[in-house]
């Protein structure tokens, strides 16, 4: 069955009940017996968020030139240029910017505890004190935490937490059957909480459980390593953060006939996936993930934050990933929306999606000044089915607006050929891009791998895909490399770039485009 026919069928099905297999809104019992008559009815939701509202911007890039202050002020000082003159926006590979992170967490209003707290009901966790550390003039106990959260818990900001090995929230990354009931565990993290994690550690929020990590602009939640306790700008000091959910991943198979899904996650994170894009994994707001990155095996690495089949009732806003060894953020299917992202100094791709991701992204600042000496490091690396050309069931088709990406690499360090592309549509991915600016040492502003990308737009517009790239301005080595049969003429080549000290582009002027999600269908409630 073709993916276009399946998409039509999914609109027609519009199930009366959206208690999709394993939704975290239910008791997570994944038996799909939904009525009292004994008959089985499998319902599913493969849609993007029907309630997401884009800011209908009239400017290009992540920052409004008329704003009085930058929205990304919560991010770590020194991880991004403090002034436009601090970074080279030309495509000449000058390499003028290098991060000098001067950020230190503010513990204003927080009083350090004298010892590590107990987390009642969590017998599968081990908490021990491992010395102390001075943060913002106070001496905090370092509380190591190891194991699995099996009951609701709150991590307070009165100690410094230090994860050991993989810390699981819930047990939903186990193998699922129709008879499985996973724990519904809620982990709350207070604003201003600091993590200084052990080497090789990670946190996995498993399907059916939630994380509520809500910081503030003045006191974000900071997840870092413990190798250097006064420097938050290193890398590979710990693993990273993973959120898993019951949203749809195209490796789950046919949503009309399958009842359970077990997709094996990167970084030995366990199993994830389901059939409900409205699933919630909680909230990440004002969260900084820095100094992360862990290679489990060749090509199997933890991202700064991995979103594995995460649904659109999850909140992701004002999040920074800095200095990660692999990608900044990667979306493995699902439909989670992300707004106000700061991605700085990540050594591989900054935004990566595959396996049928259909969420929405708006307002992202990307500053790229290092890579791994490979031309495979892109701002966006995008495919549909994990390097396969197409998925039989659902292609990746997110909508992205208001990105500023500045790439400043040194030819002396990396070589003229070792730079990646901006929007790199790798294999089979759809995607819509609005009001964005990509400048600097970028090989191609847009790279179209072959004729499997943007097939829906091309089919609707006689092979022309201009509507998928509206107000995309490019100050890069090349504007377009097109290895497919589609026509793309809408990209704007810039001869120069004018940024103010908020990194807002001031010379382009007002633009007009209606920004709307590309993948809302009749399966959504």
């Amino acid at each position: 069955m073709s993916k276009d026919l399946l998409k039509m069928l999914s609109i027609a099905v519009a199930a009366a009940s959206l208690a999709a297999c394993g939704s975290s809104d239910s008791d997570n019992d994944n038996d799909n017996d939904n009525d009292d008559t004994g008959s089985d009815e499998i319902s599913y939701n493969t849609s993007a968020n029907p309630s997401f509202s884009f800011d209908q911007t009239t400017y290009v890039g992540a920052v409004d030139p008329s704003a009085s202050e930058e929205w990304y002020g919560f991010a770590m000082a020194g991880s991004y240029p403090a002034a436009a003159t601090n970074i080279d926006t030309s495509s000449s590979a000058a390499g003028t910017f290098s991060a000098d992170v001067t950020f230190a967490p503010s513990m204003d209003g927080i009083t350090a505890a004298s010892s590590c707290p107990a987390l009642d009901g969590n017998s599968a966790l081990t908490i021990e004190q491992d010395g102390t550390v001075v943060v913002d003039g106070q001496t905090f106990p370092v509380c190591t935490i190891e194991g699995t959260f099996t009951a609701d818990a709150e991590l307070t900001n009165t100690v410094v937490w230090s994860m050991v090995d993989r810390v699981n929230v819930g047990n939903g990354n186990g193998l699922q059957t129709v008879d499985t009931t996973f724990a519904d565990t809620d982990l709350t993290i207070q604003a201003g909480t600091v993590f200084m994690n052990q080497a090789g550690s990670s946190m996995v929020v498993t399907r059916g459980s939630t994380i509520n990590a809500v910081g503030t602009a003045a006191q974000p939640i900071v997840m870092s390593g413990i190798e250097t306790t006064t420097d938050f700008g290193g890398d590979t000091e710990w693993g990273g953060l993973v959120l898993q959910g019951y949203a749809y991943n195209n490796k789950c198979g046919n949503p009309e006939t399958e009842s359970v899904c077990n997709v094996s996650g990167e970084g030995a994170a366990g199993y994830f996936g389901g059939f409900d894009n409205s699933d919630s994994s909680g909230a990440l707001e004002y969260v900084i993930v820095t100094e992360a990155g862990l290679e489990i095996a060749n090509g199997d690495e933890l991202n700064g934050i991995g979103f594995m089949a995460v649904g659109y009732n999850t909140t992701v806003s004002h999040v920074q990933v800095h200095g990660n060894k692999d990608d900044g953020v990667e979306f493995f299917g699902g439909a989670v929306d992300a707004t106000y992202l700061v991605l700085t100094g990540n050594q591989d791709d900054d935004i990566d999606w595959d396996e049928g991701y259909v969420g929405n992204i708006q307002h992202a600042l990307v500053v790229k000044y290092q890579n791994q000496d490979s031309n495979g490091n892109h701002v966006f690396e995008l495919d549909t089915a994990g390097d396969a050309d197409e998925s039989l069931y659902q292609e990746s088709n997110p909508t992205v607006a208001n990105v500023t990406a500045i790439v400043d690499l040194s030819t002396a360090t990396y070589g003229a050929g070792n730079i990646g592309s901006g929007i790199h549509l790798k294999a089979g991915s759809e995607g819509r891009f609005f009001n964005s600016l990509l400048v600097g040492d970028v090989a191609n502003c847009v790279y179209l791998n072959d004729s499997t990308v943007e097939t829906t737009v091309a089919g609707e517009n006689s092979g022309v895909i201009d509507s998928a790239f509206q107000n995309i301005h490019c100050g890069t080595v090349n504007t377009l490399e097109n290895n497919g049969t589609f026509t793309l003429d809408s990209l704007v080549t810039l001869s120069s770039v004018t940024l103010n000290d908020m990194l807002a582009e001031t010379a382009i002027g007002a633009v007009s485009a209606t920004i709307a999600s590309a993948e809302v269908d009749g399966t959504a409630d």
Side-chain angles (χ1 to χ4, degrees):
M1 184 180 293
S2 73
K3 62 185 178 69
D4 292 332
L5 179 55
L6 273 169
K7 187 181 293 185
M8 293 172 63
L9 286 171
S10 71
I11 294 172
V13 169
S17 167
L18 278 177
C21 170
S23 169
S24 63
D25 293 332
S26 70
D27 62 1
N28 297 322
D29 186 338
N30 297 293
D31 191 334
N32 281 306
D33 295 336
N34 293 327
D35 56 38
D36 295 327
T37 65
S39 64
D40 288 346
E41 177 182 300
I42 299 174
S43 57
Y44 60 90
N45 176 358
T46 58
S47 176
N49 186 355
S51 300
F52 185 84
S53 179
F54 278 97
D55 180 6
Q56 299 298 321
T57 55
T58 58
Y59 56 87
V60 169
V63 184
D64 186 346
S66 66
S68 58
E69 60 182 6
E70 66 274 13
W71 56 260
Y72 55 84
F74 75 96
M76 296 188 300
S79 65
Y80 56 85
T85 55
N86 292 349
I87 192 165
D88 177 28
T89 60
S90 73
S91 56
S92 59
T96 60
F97 180 74
S98 60
D100 181 17
V101 175
T102 59
F103 169 84
S106 169
M107 310 307 283
D108 185 39
I110 299 171
T111 300
S114 59
S115 61
C116 298
L119 297 177
D120 294 340
N122 282 284
S123 59
L125 281 179
T126 300
I127 300 173
E128 297 179 347
Q129 184 169 342
D130 185 17
T132 60
V133 65
V134 176
V135 182
D136 197 20
Q138 294 190 67
T139 300
F140 288 81
V142 175
C143 302
T144 62
I145 185 167
E146 183 175 6
T148 297
F149 287 90
T150 55
D152 295 353
E154 182 173 32
L155 299 184
T156 67
N157 54 23
T158 59
V159 304
V160 168
W161 296 96
S162 187
M163 290 187 286
V164 179
D165 296 329
R166 187 179 74 195
V167 175
N168 289 328
V169 180
N171 62 349
N173 55 353
L175 193 67
Q176 182 184 24
T177 72
V178 294
D179 299 316
T180 304
T181 300
F182 290 134
D184 182 1
T185 303
D186 298 319
L187 174 64
T188 299
I189 303 175
Q190 292 182 351
T193 299
V194 174
F195 290 77
M196 294 183 180
N197 300 309
Q198 307 292 315
S201 64
S202 61
M203 176 178 283
V204 178
V205 182
T206 70
R207 53 185 171 181
S209 294
T210 57
I211 182 172
N212 290 288
V214 179
T216 66
Q219 291 183 313
I221 294 164
V222 180
M223 294 184 167
S224 69
I226 199 166
E227 182 178 326
T228 49
T229 60
T230 58
D231 177 9
F232 294 86
D235 58 36
T236 67
E237 291 190 19
W238 68 292
L241 176 63
V242 176
L243 271 63
Q244 298 178 326
Y246 282 115
Y248 182 65
N249 177 293
N250 60 27
K251 288 185 177 180
C252 292
N254 187 345
E256 292 185 340
T257 60
E258 300 294 331
S259 59
V260 295
C261 176
N262 292 290
V263 178
S264 181
E266 284 190 352
Y271 297 105
F272 68 95
F275 300 92
D276 183 7
N277 273 1
S278 70
D279 188 41
S280 174
S281 296
L284 300 178
E285 298 183 70
Y286 291 103
V287 173
I288 295 171
V289 173
T290 182
E291 304 183 323
L294 175 66
E295 185 173 43
I296 304 297
N298 186 27
D300 184 8
E301 297 176 316
L302 283 172
N303 303 289
I305 307 178
F307 296 94
M308 300 180 178
V310 176
Y312 58 67
N313 277 318
T314 308
T315 299
V316 179
S317 182
H318 293 88
V319 171
Q320 179 182 24
V321 178
H322 174 76
N324 198 69
K325 178 177 173 60
D326 195 35
D327 301 335
V329 293
E330 183 163 2
F331 303 91
F332 301 87
V336 61
D337 305 314
T339 59
Y340 300 105
L341 299 177
V342 181
L343 305 168
T344 50
N346 296 304
Q347 295 180 30
D348 198 3
D349 311 310
D350 295 284
I351 298 174
D352 192 336
W353 69 57
D354 47 30
E355 298 172 8
Y357 173 62
V358 294
N360 304 299
I361 299 170
Q362 185 168 32
H363 299 296
L365 174 66
V366 176
V367 180
K368 203 171 189 67
Y369 57 87
Q370 62 176 340
N371 65 19
Q372 296 171 319
D373 298 324
S374 168
N375 58 11
N377 304 299
H378 312 294
V379 176
F380 291 88
E381 184 179 55
L382 316 173
D383 63 30
T384 271
D387 299 336
D389 286 345
E390 286 283 355
S391 167
L392 178 64
Y393 303 110
Q394 178 160 300
E395 74 271 11
S396 300
N397 194 13
T399 303
V400 178
N402 294 102
V403 175
T404 294
I406 307 171
V407 182
D408 190 11
L409 299 177
S410 167
T411 299
T413 302
Y414 300 111
N418 286 326
I419 58 176
S421 294
I423 300 171
H424 189 93
L425 283 158
K426 184 177 178 181
S429 181
E430 306 282 344
R432 306 295 179 273
F433 303 88
F434 296 87
N435 298 3
S436 293
L437 175 71
L438 298 99
V439 298
D441 303 310
V442 177
N444 303 284
C445 180
V446 175
Y447 176 96
L448 303 179
N449 186 68
D450 54 40
S451 294
T452 67
V453 300
E454 299 293 358
T455 51
T456 301
V457 175
E460 294 171 351
N461 296 280
S462 303
V464 179
I465 60 173
D466 286 351
S467 63
F469 300 87
Q470 297 189 44
N471 303 319
I472 307 302
H473 287 67
C474 309
T476 55
V477 176
N478 298 300
T479 298
L480 173 67
E481 180 166 334
N482 189 351
N483 297 305
T485 59
F486 306 142
T487 299
L488 175 57
D489 293 327
S490 61
L491 305 177
V492 181
T493 301
L494 299 174
S495 58
S496 62
V497 179
T498 304
L499 300 180
N500 64 19
D501 286 343
M502 294 192 304
L503 307 182
E505 221 296 332
T506 59
I508 290 174
V511 297
S512 177
T514 300
I515 309 172
S517 180
E519 196 72 16
V520 175
D521 66 36
T523 64
D525 186 358

